[in-house]
Amino acid sequence: VVLLTPVGDENARTNALVLLGAYLIFVESWDCSQVVDVIGACDAERRFVCSWARLERPEPQRNMMVKDCWAGFEFLHRQGWFDDTCLTTDVGTDLVCSMLSNWAAMYDASWIIPGY
């Protein structure tokens, strides 16, 4: 797997790291600690901007880390709540990506960030 992001685009890198971890967990059956060990603590501890941050105000503290997403993916995988066979074909992967994009536009998962 080769994953490239635009040079200097830290947000794109953070999002790409989440997707790379998802691939390793769902397709390669890694656990979160393996992903952290290989990708590194620095990238695993990147934090997301609060989704309701406003440009005219100072940015609130960032809480959710990339490795939190990976831990959630590992939990889904371990519990069998996500049928990862849909990721084995281009059609299935496109469907999952489309559904996730729609959900992201409709719902705000940031309300469940632990410790916020």
Side-chain angles (χ1 to χ4, degrees):
V1 173
V2 176
L3 183 60
L4 303 173
T5 59
V7 176
D9 188 337
E10 296 300 315
N11 292 329
R13 180 178 177 87
T14 302
N15 290 330
L17 287 164
V18 171
L19 297 175
L20 180 58
Y23 171 83
L24 294 171
I25 290 165
F26 289 123
V27 177
E28 300 298 329
S29 296
W30 287 21
D31 63 34
C32 184
S33 64
Q34 288 175 290
V35 178
V36 171
D37 289 345
V38 170
I39 291 179
C42 185
D43 278 332
E45 293 176 1
R46 286 175 169 270
R47 295 175 185 262
F48 291 93
V49 175
C50 177
S51 67
W52 56 84
R54 298 172 69 176
L55 294 175
E56 68 271 9
R57 294 187 183 160
E59 181 183 322
Q61 178 183 347
R62 295 180 178 200
N63 292 296
M64 190 168 76
M65 293 183 280
V66 169
K67 67 181 179 181
D68 296 330
C69 298
W70 297 338
F73 295 150
E74 179 187 353
F75 186 75
L76 284 171
H77 192 250
R78 191 174 55 238
Q79 296 298 319
W81 293 346
F82 178 73
D83 181 6
D84 53 21
T85 59
C86 64
L87 299 175
T88 59
T89 67
D90 289 344
V91 172
T93 302
D94 286 347
L95 177 63
V96 169
C97 290
S98 175
M99 290 172 58
L100 289 174
S101 292
N102 289 336
W103 292 340
M106 266 191 247
Y107 306 107
D108 187 357
S110 61
W111 286 101
I112 60 171
I113 298 172
Y116 189 81

